[in-house]
Amino acid sequence: MGDHALEVNNLSRHFGELIAVDGVSLHVEAGETYGLLGPNGAGKSTAISMIAGLLESHGGTIRIEGEPMTTRTTAVRSRLGLVPQDLAIYPDLTARENLRFFASLYGMGTKSAKARIDEVLEVIGLSDRADDRADEFSGGMKRRLNIGIGLLHHPRLLILDEPTVGVDPQSRNAILESVEHLASEGMSVLYTTHYMEEAERLCDRIGIIDHGRLMAEGTRRELVASLGNQDRVSITATGPLADAAEAFAALDGVAEATTSEDTITLLTGDATRVVARAVETADAHGLTVASVEITQPDLEAVFLHLTGRALRD
Amino acid sequence: MPPALLIIGKDLRRGIRNRSTITLAFIAPLALGFIFGQILGGVDDMDERITFSYGVVDNDGGDLGTGFASVLDQLVDDGLVELTTYTDTDEARAAVDDDDVSAAFILPEGLSDSFATASPATIEVIGNVDAPIATNVATSIAETFATRSSTAAMAGIAAAGTGVIPAEEIGTVAEEIGSSPPLASVTTVETGGDQLDFSTRMVAGMAIFFAFFVAGAAVTGILEERDEGTMARLLAAPVSRGSILFGKVSAAIIIGWVALFALMVASTVIMGADWGPVLGVLPLIITGVLAATGILALVGGLAKNAEQAGNLQSIVAVSMAMLGGAFGMVAPDPGSVWGMIAMLTPVHWFLTGLDELAVGGIAAVLPATLAMAAIAVVTGLAALTFSGKLLRP
């Protein structure tokens, strides 16, 4: 148990009638980057708030390196670095003053803090703007400072809650590179995002969360494999789609056929074998095909398979 | 360094950089106190009295005309009236039209005879339309004289009717009564000997009023940390929630203390204000800010964000300042409901404490100090019930 940077068991939280987090269990190994992937409103930030000790849980336990974490524990917090989703910096203080204040709050001595602040400024690329007020920074620079404060005190576990939301592509890439750099140095990272490509790029393991429940977790390979290596064939057409659904499902090599308003989605082991017969079937049932799309399985497909909706729905 | 001190240091640094804090804490109260003191303080200055210029025409020539003239002479002696005597009504009217005088009294022929027989008679006042106040004052003088004279005549008639005096002496008796000094009179007594001077009171009132806004930062500062997202960081740090609360509230209190003390010094040096002995003022400043902080923490705890808290606190601060007499207003009667409510405000006790200090020495501030300390404790403890609601991301 003590080997895990983070261990969460059966974590729950509700707001009135709304169940925001429903029995989530997960763990982050030391030196591992764990991604919590889910759409907006899935319960990621609520889970993070409880893990960081900001919000009281209504059930379950949280342990950081074996030590319990609640809203009342303080000592264990020094092992944790938090980068909240919203900017959390003092706009009327300089970058250096922001870093110095939080370094002091985490009990860093003046000398070691000064050296570490210079180091962090270098990592986040703000060395040349260290003595400028934060309210003079661009959005991307503020985001980088936001991250810098979180990793200032050498946390054993860094929690980043959607750190690239609202960031331009260049700054986004810089942030992702920073996270990769920290991970390569052995820092344990819990990273929440609703961007599939970020989870695929950064995370050793990924947990898929929706409606407060952890639907699945594993490496990217494991998650995709759970689909049975299925390709996805999406046929957009007009006509009686629902009537034809049964015929599509009965096609040889099709594992599953689902229909939505104007699309039939077929899951199959080999899309190239199925696509021609699928178009014939559509024609036979009086459908007018507008387009056919073949998608190789990815996390998006996993999410769709698990929840019946797209990540960005 | 303890986390609470770090938070205090950070907030003081931000407060110094924040122009609105400087404005609220120092510039606004000093400037407004000075301006109000100058504008309203003039009312107290009686060196330059208002003088009315009147004319009089005595067509009567009898005892009553002489009596009226003696009334006007008294007003002339008091410096309230400048009097010019005219020979006839036309001359007096022309003087009024030419703005030589503001109004003229015309005593009609036979006034004294009609008085003696209790017959109707009219004293005419010719007024200048451009001098309505002077005309009103002249009318009041004439009415007062006429009323008193009529009363005297009625007394003479009553005396004759009951056989106390013969009927032919009615006029003599009435004239004696009319010219005798009144049994009772109203005298305006100027206060001020047992209070602060007006200018100091205005600055002190403004200082404690604006201290409310500075002290309000105890709660708005916490709500701003939430709005800025930094509360999440503070809560995630290895710091107890009590330290965060103590640090935030202490910073606001310290700024309030420094602001009030600086205002006391600045108004003394710049405006010549006299707050009284520093050792007496200090307990009032300390407990005044604490009481204001407690009240605004309680009010601010009801708000959802910094803006809402600021609005609520402004309403409370203005209401308390008005009730407590911070704007130079007359304090409500202590026996009335409003008077009792006023006694729940630190503004009232702060100014009362300074008044007492002006006449009673340092020990005299004890009741006001204790009252404000009690307000601080009660409201502060009540506000603590909101701390859980405030200290969240």
Side-chain angles (χ1 to χ4, degrees), chain A residues 221-271:
Chain A
R221 182 185 293 272
E222 287 168 347
L223 288 169
V224 170
S226 69
L227 293 179
N229 289 327
Q230 288 166 336
D231 294 342
R232 193 155 34 118
V233 179
S234 299
I235 301 168
T236 305
T238 55
L241 266 70
D243 298 345
E246 212 168 298
F248 281 109
L251 285 174
D252 186 29
V254 172
E256 187 181 324
T258 55
T259 58
S260 63
E261 192 179 339
D262 61 351
T263 305
I264 296 177
T265 303
L266 309 176
L267 293 178
T268 173
D270 189 351

Short mmCIF file of all heavy atoms in Angstrom, two decimals, chain A residues 221-271:
data_model
loop_
_atom_site.label_atom_id
_atom_site.label_comp_id
_atom_site.label_asym_id
_atom_site.label_seq_id
_atom_site.Cartn_x
_atom_site.Cartn_y
_atom_site.Cartn_z
N ARG A 221 -3.18 0.58 -24.59
CA ARG A 221 -3.27 -0.68 -25.32
C ARG A 221 -4.35 -1.58 -24.71
O ARG A 221 -5.14 -2.18 -25.44
CB ARG A 221 -1.90 -1.39 -25.27
CG ARG A 221 -1.82 -2.70 -26.04
CD ARG A 221 -0.47 -3.36 -25.81
NE ARG A 221 0.61 -2.60 -26.39
CZ ARG A 221 1.02 -2.75 -27.66
NH1 ARG A 221 0.44 -3.63 -28.45
NH2 ARG A 221 2.02 -2.06 -28.13
N GLU A 222 -4.35 -1.65 -23.38
CA GLU A 222 -5.35 -2.51 -22.71
C GLU A 222 -6.78 -2.02 -22.97
O GLU A 222 -7.69 -2.81 -23.20
CB GLU A 222 -5.09 -2.53 -21.19
CG GLU A 222 -3.87 -3.33 -20.79
CD GLU A 222 -3.45 -3.11 -19.34
OE1 GLU A 222 -3.95 -2.15 -18.72
OE2 GLU A 222 -2.61 -3.87 -18.85
N LEU A 223 -6.93 -0.72 -22.91
CA LEU A 223 -8.28 -0.16 -23.09
C LEU A 223 -8.79 -0.41 -24.51
O LEU A 223 -9.94 -0.79 -24.73
CB LEU A 223 -8.29 1.34 -22.77
CG LEU A 223 -8.16 1.69 -21.29
CD1 LEU A 223 -7.90 3.18 -21.11
CD2 LEU A 223 -9.41 1.28 -20.53
N VAL A 224 -7.91 -0.18 -25.48
CA VAL A 224 -8.31 -0.38 -26.87
C VAL A 224 -8.57 -1.87 -27.12
O VAL A 224 -9.54 -2.25 -27.81
CB VAL A 224 -7.22 0.17 -27.83
CG1 VAL A 224 -7.51 -0.25 -29.26
CG2 VAL A 224 -7.15 1.68 -27.72
N ALA A 225 -7.71 -2.71 -26.52
CA ALA A 225 -7.88 -4.15 -26.69
C ALA A 225 -9.21 -4.63 -26.13
O ALA A 225 -9.77 -5.63 -26.59
CB ALA A 225 -6.72 -4.89 -26.02
N SER A 226 -9.70 -3.90 -25.14
CA SER A 226 -10.96 -4.32 -24.53
C SER A 226 -12.12 -4.22 -25.52
O SER A 226 -13.18 -4.80 -25.33
CB SER A 226 -11.26 -3.45 -23.31
OG SER A 226 -11.57 -2.13 -23.72
N LEU A 227 -11.90 -3.49 -26.61
CA LEU A 227 -12.92 -3.39 -27.66
C LEU A 227 -12.87 -4.60 -28.57
O LEU A 227 -13.71 -4.75 -29.47
CB LEU A 227 -12.71 -2.13 -28.51
CG LEU A 227 -12.94 -0.79 -27.82
CD1 LEU A 227 -12.66 0.34 -28.79
CD2 LEU A 227 -14.36 -0.69 -27.31
N GLY A 228 -11.87 -5.48 -28.38
CA GLY A 228 -11.72 -6.63 -29.26
C GLY A 228 -11.10 -6.22 -30.58
O GLY A 228 -11.43 -6.78 -31.63
N ASN A 229 -10.22 -5.28 -30.56
CA ASN A 229 -9.55 -4.79 -31.77
C ASN A 229 -10.55 -4.44 -32.86
O ASN A 229 -10.33 -4.72 -34.03
CB ASN A 229 -8.54 -5.82 -32.30
CG ASN A 229 -7.32 -5.93 -31.39
OD1 ASN A 229 -6.91 -4.94 -30.79
ND2 ASN A 229 -6.80 -7.13 -31.26
N GLN A 230 -11.66 -3.88 -32.51
CA GLN A 230 -12.70 -3.63 -33.49
C GLN A 230 -12.53 -2.28 -34.19
O GLN A 230 -12.30 -1.26 -33.54
CB GLN A 230 -14.07 -3.67 -32.81
CG GLN A 230 -14.44 -5.09 -32.43
CD GLN A 230 -15.61 -5.13 -31.46
OE1 GLN A 230 -15.86 -4.18 -30.77
NE2 GLN A 230 -16.29 -6.26 -31.44
N ASP A 231 -12.70 -2.35 -35.49
CA ASP A 231 -12.78 -1.12 -36.27
C ASP A 231 -14.22 -0.61 -36.20
O ASP A 231 -15.14 -1.37 -35.89
CB ASP A 231 -12.41 -1.39 -37.73
CG ASP A 231 -10.95 -1.81 -37.88
OD1 ASP A 231 -10.18 -1.55 -36.93
OD2 ASP A 231 -10.61 -2.39 -38.92
N ARG A 232 -14.35 0.64 -36.52
CA ARG A 232 -15.68 1.23 -36.50
C ARG A 232 -16.02 1.73 -37.89
O ARG A 232 -15.26 2.47 -38.50
CB ARG A 232 -15.69 2.39 -35.51
CG ARG A 232 -17.03 2.89 -35.17
CD ARG A 232 -17.05 3.58 -33.79
NE ARG A 232 -15.84 4.29 -33.46
CZ ARG A 232 -15.78 5.61 -33.24
NH1 ARG A 232 -16.86 6.34 -33.33
NH2 ARG A 232 -14.65 6.17 -32.92
N VAL A 233 -17.18 1.29 -38.42
CA VAL A 233 -17.66 1.74 -39.73
C VAL A 233 -18.92 2.58 -39.49
O VAL A 233 -19.91 2.07 -38.97
CB VAL A 233 -17.99 0.56 -40.66
CG1 VAL A 233 -18.51 1.06 -42.01
CG2 VAL A 233 -16.78 -0.34 -40.85
N SER A 234 -18.82 3.85 -39.84
CA SER A 234 -19.97 4.75 -39.63
C SER A 234 -20.57 5.10 -40.97
O SER A 234 -19.89 5.67 -41.83
CB SER A 234 -19.53 6.03 -38.91
OG SER A 234 -19.00 5.70 -37.65
N ILE A 235 -21.84 4.72 -41.17
CA ILE A 235 -22.53 4.99 -42.43
C ILE A 235 -23.60 6.05 -42.16
O ILE A 235 -24.53 5.83 -41.38
CB ILE A 235 -23.20 3.72 -42.98
CG1 ILE A 235 -22.14 2.64 -43.21
CG2 ILE A 235 -23.97 4.00 -44.27
CD1 ILE A 235 -22.73 1.26 -43.48
N THR A 236 -23.41 7.18 -42.80
CA THR A 236 -24.41 8.24 -42.67
C THR A 236 -25.35 8.13 -43.86
O THR A 236 -24.91 8.09 -45.01
CB THR A 236 -23.74 9.62 -42.66
OG1 THR A 236 -22.77 9.64 -41.62
CG2 THR A 236 -24.76 10.73 -42.40
N ALA A 237 -26.65 8.04 -43.56
CA ALA A 237 -27.61 7.79 -44.65
C ALA A 237 -28.97 8.37 -44.29
O ALA A 237 -29.23 8.72 -43.12
CB ALA A 237 -27.75 6.29 -44.87
N THR A 238 -29.82 8.49 -45.30
CA THR A 238 -31.21 8.88 -45.07
C THR A 238 -32.11 7.70 -45.43
O THR A 238 -31.75 6.88 -46.27
CB THR A 238 -31.59 10.10 -45.93
OG1 THR A 238 -31.31 9.81 -47.31
CG2 THR A 238 -30.82 11.34 -45.50
N GLY A 239 -33.25 7.60 -44.79
CA GLY A 239 -34.16 6.49 -45.04
C GLY A 239 -34.48 5.77 -43.73
O GLY A 239 -34.13 6.26 -42.65
N PRO A 240 -35.11 4.62 -43.81
CA PRO A 240 -35.54 3.91 -42.59
C PRO A 240 -34.37 3.16 -41.93
O PRO A 240 -34.27 1.94 -42.01
CB PRO A 240 -36.59 2.93 -43.12
CG PRO A 240 -36.20 2.69 -44.54
CD PRO A 240 -35.57 3.92 -45.05
N LEU A 241 -33.52 3.92 -41.23
CA LEU A 241 -32.32 3.35 -40.59
C LEU A 241 -32.68 2.29 -39.56
O LEU A 241 -32.04 1.23 -39.48
CB LEU A 241 -31.50 4.46 -39.91
CG LEU A 241 -30.36 5.08 -40.74
CD1 LEU A 241 -30.94 5.93 -41.86
CD2 LEU A 241 -29.45 5.90 -39.85
N ALA A 242 -33.69 2.58 -38.77
CA ALA A 242 -34.04 1.65 -37.69
C ALA A 242 -34.47 0.29 -38.23
O ALA A 242 -34.14 -0.77 -37.67
CB ALA A 242 -35.15 2.25 -36.84
N ASP A 243 -35.19 0.30 -39.37
CA ASP A 243 -35.66 -0.96 -39.97
C ASP A 243 -34.50 -1.82 -40.46
O ASP A 243 -34.57 -3.04 -40.48
CB ASP A 243 -36.60 -0.66 -41.16
CG ASP A 243 -37.85 0.09 -40.71
OD1 ASP A 243 -38.10 0.11 -39.47
OD2 ASP A 243 -38.53 0.68 -41.56
N ALA A 244 -33.43 -1.11 -40.87
CA ALA A 244 -32.29 -1.84 -41.44
C ALA A 244 -31.30 -2.32 -40.39
O ALA A 244 -30.38 -3.09 -40.69
CB ALA A 244 -31.57 -0.94 -42.45
N ALA A 245 -31.46 -1.86 -39.15
CA ALA A 245 -30.47 -2.16 -38.11
C ALA A 245 -30.23 -3.65 -37.93
O ALA A 245 -29.09 -4.12 -37.78
CB ALA A 245 -30.90 -1.53 -36.78
N GLU A 246 -31.31 -4.40 -37.95
CA GLU A 246 -31.21 -5.84 -37.73
C GLU A 246 -30.38 -6.51 -38.83
O GLU A 246 -29.55 -7.38 -38.56
CB GLU A 246 -32.61 -6.44 -37.69
CG GLU A 246 -32.70 -7.64 -36.76
CD GLU A 246 -34.16 -8.03 -36.52
OE1 GLU A 246 -34.91 -7.20 -35.97
OE2 GLU A 246 -34.50 -9.15 -36.91
N ALA A 247 -30.61 -6.03 -40.05
CA ALA A 247 -29.88 -6.60 -41.19
C ALA A 247 -28.40 -6.31 -41.10
O ALA A 247 -27.54 -7.15 -41.39
CB ALA A 247 -30.45 -6.04 -42.49
N PHE A 248 -28.06 -5.09 -40.65
CA PHE A 248 -26.65 -4.73 -40.47
C PHE A 248 -26.01 -5.61 -39.39
O PHE A 248 -24.89 -6.09 -39.55
CB PHE A 248 -26.52 -3.25 -40.08
CG PHE A 248 -26.65 -2.30 -41.25
CD1 PHE A 248 -27.77 -1.50 -41.40
CD2 PHE A 248 -25.65 -2.23 -42.22
CE1 PHE A 248 -27.89 -0.63 -42.46
CE2 PHE A 248 -25.77 -1.35 -43.30
CZ PHE A 248 -26.89 -0.55 -43.42
N ALA A 249 -26.74 -5.80 -38.30
CA ALA A 249 -26.19 -6.60 -37.20
C ALA A 249 -25.95 -8.05 -37.61
O ALA A 249 -25.07 -8.73 -37.06
CB ALA A 249 -27.14 -6.54 -36.01
N ALA A 250 -26.72 -8.50 -38.59
CA ALA A 250 -26.62 -9.90 -39.01
C ALA A 250 -25.50 -10.14 -40.04
O ALA A 250 -25.19 -11.27 -40.40
CB ALA A 250 -27.96 -10.34 -39.60
N LEU A 251 -24.89 -9.04 -40.49
CA LEU A 251 -23.82 -9.20 -41.50
C LEU A 251 -22.64 -9.99 -40.91
O LEU A 251 -22.30 -9.82 -39.73
CB LEU A 251 -23.32 -7.81 -41.94
CG LEU A 251 -24.24 -7.02 -42.88
CD1 LEU A 251 -23.67 -5.61 -43.10
CD2 LEU A 251 -24.38 -7.75 -44.22
N ASP A 252 -22.04 -10.80 -41.72
CA ASP A 252 -20.91 -11.60 -41.28
C ASP A 252 -19.75 -10.69 -40.89
O ASP A 252 -19.37 -9.80 -41.66
CB ASP A 252 -20.49 -12.55 -42.43
CG ASP A 252 -19.41 -13.52 -41.99
OD1 ASP A 252 -19.41 -13.84 -40.78
OD2 ASP A 252 -18.59 -13.91 -42.82
N GLY A 253 -19.19 -10.89 -39.72
CA GLY A 253 -18.04 -10.09 -39.25
C GLY A 253 -18.43 -8.86 -38.46
O GLY A 253 -17.57 -8.18 -37.89
N VAL A 254 -19.72 -8.57 -38.37
CA VAL A 254 -20.16 -7.39 -37.58
C VAL A 254 -20.49 -7.84 -36.17
O VAL A 254 -21.33 -8.73 -35.98
CB VAL A 254 -21.39 -6.72 -38.24
CG1 VAL A 254 -21.96 -5.64 -37.32
CG2 VAL A 254 -21.00 -6.12 -39.59
N ALA A 255 -19.80 -7.24 -35.20
CA ALA A 255 -20.04 -7.61 -33.81
C ALA A 255 -21.22 -6.86 -33.22
O ALA A 255 -21.94 -7.37 -32.36
CB ALA A 255 -18.79 -7.33 -32.98
N GLU A 256 -21.40 -5.63 -33.67
CA GLU A 256 -22.46 -4.82 -33.07
C GLU A 256 -22.87 -3.73 -34.04
O GLU A 256 -22.03 -3.19 -34.77
CB GLU A 256 -21.93 -4.19 -31.77
CG GLU A 256 -22.98 -3.45 -30.97
CD GLU A 256 -22.37 -2.82 -29.71
OE1 GLU A 256 -21.46 -3.44 -29.11
OE2 GLU A 256 -22.78 -1.70 -29.37
N ALA A 257 -24.15 -3.45 -34.10
CA ALA A 257 -24.65 -2.36 -34.96
C ALA A 257 -25.53 -1.45 -34.11
O ALA A 257 -26.45 -1.91 -33.45
CB ALA A 257 -25.43 -2.92 -36.12
N THR A 258 -25.19 -0.17 -34.11
CA THR A 258 -26.02 0.79 -33.37
C THR A 258 -26.47 1.89 -34.33
O THR A 258 -25.71 2.29 -35.23
CB THR A 258 -25.26 1.43 -32.21
OG1 THR A 258 -24.04 2.00 -32.73
CG2 THR A 258 -24.91 0.41 -31.14
N THR A 259 -27.68 2.36 -34.14
CA THR A 259 -28.18 3.43 -35.02
C THR A 259 -28.44 4.68 -34.19
O THR A 259 -28.86 4.61 -33.04
CB THR A 259 -29.50 3.03 -35.71
OG1 THR A 259 -30.45 2.72 -34.70
CG2 THR A 259 -29.30 1.85 -36.61
N SER A 260 -28.15 5.80 -34.80
CA SER A 260 -28.55 7.08 -34.21
C SER A 260 -29.44 7.77 -35.24
O SER A 260 -29.94 7.10 -36.15
CB SER A 260 -27.31 7.92 -33.87
OG SER A 260 -26.61 8.22 -35.05
N GLU A 261 -29.62 9.02 -35.14
CA GLU A 261 -30.58 9.73 -35.99
C GLU A 261 -30.34 9.50 -37.49
O GLU A 261 -31.24 9.14 -38.22
CB GLU A 261 -30.50 11.23 -35.68
CG GLU A 261 -31.64 12.02 -36.28
CD GLU A 261 -31.53 13.49 -35.91
OE1 GLU A 261 -30.84 13.81 -34.91
OE2 GLU A 261 -32.11 14.30 -36.62
N ASP A 262 -29.08 9.67 -37.92
CA ASP A 262 -28.80 9.50 -39.36
C ASP A 262 -27.56 8.66 -39.60
O ASP A 262 -26.99 8.67 -40.68
CB ASP A 262 -28.64 10.88 -40.02
CG ASP A 262 -27.48 11.65 -39.42
OD1 ASP A 262 -26.92 11.20 -38.40
OD2 ASP A 262 -27.12 12.70 -39.97
N THR A 263 -27.12 7.93 -38.59
CA THR A 263 -25.88 7.15 -38.74
C THR A 263 -26.06 5.74 -38.18
O THR A 263 -26.67 5.55 -37.12
CB THR A 263 -24.71 7.84 -38.00
OG1 THR A 263 -24.60 9.17 -38.47
CG2 THR A 263 -23.40 7.11 -38.22
N ILE A 264 -25.50 4.79 -38.92
CA ILE A 264 -25.40 3.42 -38.40
C ILE A 264 -23.92 3.15 -38.14
O ILE A 264 -23.07 3.40 -39.01
CB ILE A 264 -25.93 2.38 -39.42
CG1 ILE A 264 -27.43 2.62 -39.63
CG2 ILE A 264 -25.67 0.96 -38.95
CD1 ILE A 264 -28.02 1.69 -40.67
N THR A 265 -23.60 2.72 -36.93
CA THR A 265 -22.20 2.44 -36.58
C THR A 265 -22.04 0.93 -36.41
O THR A 265 -22.76 0.30 -35.63
CB THR A 265 -21.81 3.16 -35.30
OG1 THR A 265 -22.04 4.56 -35.47
CG2 THR A 265 -20.33 2.94 -34.96
N LEU A 266 -21.09 0.38 -37.14
CA LEU A 266 -20.83 -1.07 -37.08
C LEU A 266 -19.47 -1.31 -36.45
O LEU A 266 -18.49 -0.63 -36.78
CB LEU A 266 -20.82 -1.65 -38.49
CG LEU A 266 -22.03 -1.32 -39.39
CD1 LEU A 266 -21.82 -1.91 -40.78
CD2 LEU A 266 -23.31 -1.85 -38.78
N LEU A 267 -19.41 -2.21 -35.51
CA LEU A 267 -18.13 -2.60 -34.93
C LEU A 267 -17.73 -3.95 -35.53
O LEU A 267 -18.53 -4.89 -35.54
CB LEU A 267 -18.25 -2.72 -33.40
CG LEU A 267 -18.50 -1.41 -32.65
CD1 LEU A 267 -18.67 -1.66 -31.15
CD2 LEU A 267 -17.37 -0.42 -32.89
N THR A 268 -16.50 -4.00 -36.02
CA THR A 268 -16.06 -5.21 -36.73
C THR A 268 -14.57 -5.42 -36.56
O THR A 268 -13.82 -4.47 -36.29
CB THR A 268 -16.39 -5.08 -38.24
OG1 THR A 268 -15.81 -6.18 -38.94
CG2 THR A 268 -15.84 -3.79 -38.83
N GLY A 269 -14.15 -6.65 -36.73
CA GLY A 269 -12.72 -6.96 -36.63
C GLY A 269 -11.96 -6.49 -37.86
O GLY A 269 -10.76 -6.23 -37.78
N ASP A 270 -12.62 -6.37 -38.98
CA ASP A 270 -11.95 -5.97 -40.22
C ASP A 270 -12.90 -5.12 -41.06
O ASP A 270 -13.77 -5.64 -41.77
CB ASP A 270 -11.49 -7.20 -41.00
CG ASP A 270 -10.60 -6.85 -42.19
OD1 ASP A 270 -10.50 -5.64 -42.49
OD2 ASP A 270 -10.03 -7.77 -42.79
N ALA A 271 -12.73 -3.85 -41.00
CA ALA A 271 -13.65 -2.93 -41.68
C ALA A 271 -13.64 -3.10 -43.18
O ALA A 271 -14.68 -2.97 -43.84
CB ALA A 271 -13.28 -1.48 -41.31
#
